[in-house]
Every structure is written in structure tokens, then in C-alpha cells.
Amino acid sequence: MVEAFAVASGKGGTGKTTSTLALGMALAADYDVTVVDADTGMANLLFHAGLDDADVTLHDLLVDGADSAVADATYERYGMRVVPCGTSLAAFEASDPGRLREVVAELAADADVLLLDSPATLASKSAVLPVVLADRVVTVLQPTIPSLSDGLKVQEYARSYGTEGAGVLFNRVHGDLGRVADQAEEYFDGGTLGVVPDSDAARAARDAGEPLLAHAPDSAAAAAFREAA
């Protein structure tokens, strides 16, 4: 039976997309994994996965009357299936985010694990939708009190829609977490899944258009993502 995870954060800049692909690749060693860029307004997963030239994307599936099939926007990459979203403003305006529910339902039929790279903001109902559709939420945070506060808002939204918390993934960490770790354990469902050190390898992977685990599989960051997965 499929389990759907929304990978979310309270604000941008936490490394959410890097985390989504890294968790996907790690889980793909044991499961059938599908990763979806559900951030229809500010998509960038396609650049991280080397799919910036994809002919069909999620946007094409969200347009009323579209003749593209879900399979047309699904690409086999790095041992998993990836559904990128386009970056065109016109395509975003033409798309109906509510159709995401149908796309996710079809993708879920062929996966053990579904990872939804979610919008960084929860400012609209469409932005919250990936959290609503998920079984659990992985909250990606930086190791600061403001970031914890942002993450707690994500958890509050998730709970209000009946979506459980899978835990917190701290990313871009320098040194010890200190009291932030204690507060994460106290306030977040699932506690701390992993602590990923800040890494030049992650930045180099983004520049190369590859997931971290493909670009630098032996890096400390890659090892931390595998442990979290």
C-alpha cells in the first residue's frame, strides 16, 4: 500500500527540493518511489533532476481539457519516477491546482512511496493541497528558533487536515543543534529524522543538475539523508 509524504517547510531556502530528491533516491533502494514537484507556482525540482528540457510536466496535467496522460509527465530517473513541474507563468495561470488530487491518485497506484515536494508557503488553499493529500509530512528546517516556529505552523496546518507528522529533517547544519534539538523532540510529531550537515557537495549537485546522492554519494550530507530515509 502506498504511503504519501509531503516534504514541506515554513519558508523557502531550507533545501526542501534537495531533501525530497535525496530521500527519494535513498528510499528507492528498497521501494518503488515516485517524486512529484507539487510546487506549481515556484517549481525548481526539474533543474535539480536534469529535467529542465522535459516536454510534458505537471502543469500540462493540471489544465482543464488537457490531452496529456500522467505517464507522459513521468520520467524514470535515478532509480525512481519523477514528475517535474514547469516554470512558465502562463502555464501556472492556466492550470487548476485542484486537479492535483486526480494526478496523485493515479500515481499512487504504481508506487510504494510518493514524495510531494510542497510549496514553501502555506498562504493559499492550493499551496496547502499537497499537505492535505499526504499521509504524513516531513518538515525540513534549518537549525534556528525562527525556522522551528515556521515548521510548527506547517504541523498545525497538517493536523487540521488530519495529516500526521513524520518528523523533522534539519538541513544545512553547522555544528551542534543545541536546544533546538530538544525543542524539536518536544513539539514535533515524529521527532528528529535526521541532521544533514551544510555541504559544498549539495551546492555542486544543484549546479550540475543532479540529485545529491547521484553527484556526491559518499559525502557526509548524502550519508545523513540515507540515515533519515
Side-chain angles (χ1 to χ4, degrees):
M1 182 176 179
V2 67
E3 185 158 15
F5 295 89
V7 183
S9 63
K11 289 183 179 177
T14 62
K16 178 173 53 62
T17 298
T18 294
S19 300
T20 303
L21 286 171
L23 292 173
M25 280 193 67
L27 289 167
D30 298 301
Y31 303 98
D32 288 330
V33 175
T34 299
V35 172
V36 182
D37 190 346
D39 189 350
T40 58
M42 297 291 287
N44 63 17
L45 186 146
L46 72 172
F47 301 117
H48 291 245
L51 286 168
D52 48 302
D53 60 348
D55 291 328
V56 182
T57 73
L58 180 64
H59 272 159
D60 297 297
L61 306 179
L62 301 182
V63 176
D64 286 330
D67 57 2
S68 297
V70 172
D72 296 332
T74 304
Y75 302 85
E76 297 283 343
R77 291 292 189 280
Y78 306 103
M80 56 189 174
R81 289 179 290 274
V82 179
V83 181
C85 189
T87 59
S88 164
L89 178 59
F92 168 68
E93 292 177 340
S95 65
D96 174 11
R99 292 172 62 90
L100 180 64
R101 189 182 301 272
E102 301 168 20
V103 174
V104 167
E106 184 168 341
L107 291 168
D110 295 319
D112 298 322
V113 177
L114 196 61
L115 296 176
L116 305 175
D117 187 10
S118 306
T121 177
L122 300 176
S124 68
K125 290 184 178 180
S126 61
V128 174
L129 187 56
V131 172
V132 176
L133 296 178
D135 299 300
R136 292 193 283 167
V137 177
V138 175
T139 306
V140 182
L141 303 176
Q142 291 186 332
T144 67
I145 297 300
S147 188
L148 279 178
S149 177
D150 293 335
L152 285 170
K153 294 171 188 173
V154 173
Q155 180 170 267
E156 183 179 349
Y157 265 98
R159 285 176 173 174
S160 72
Y161 288 103
T163 304
E164 298 179 359
V168 173
L169 181 63
F170 284 106
N171 191 32
R172 298 178 177 172
V173 175
H174 294 273
D176 187 75
L177 288 177
R179 69 190 183 102
V180 170
D182 296 332
Q183 295 195 350
E185 292 295 327
E186 180 177 357
Y187 293 112
F188 283 91
D189 299 337
T192 300
L193 297 173
V195 178
V196 181
D198 191 35
S199 173
D200 290 335
R203 287 183 282 273
R206 289 195 300 273
D207 291 342
E210 294 181 324
L212 172 65
L213 268 66
H215 187 80
D218 298 325
S219 64
F225 277 121
R226 282 192 290 268
E227 183 176 351

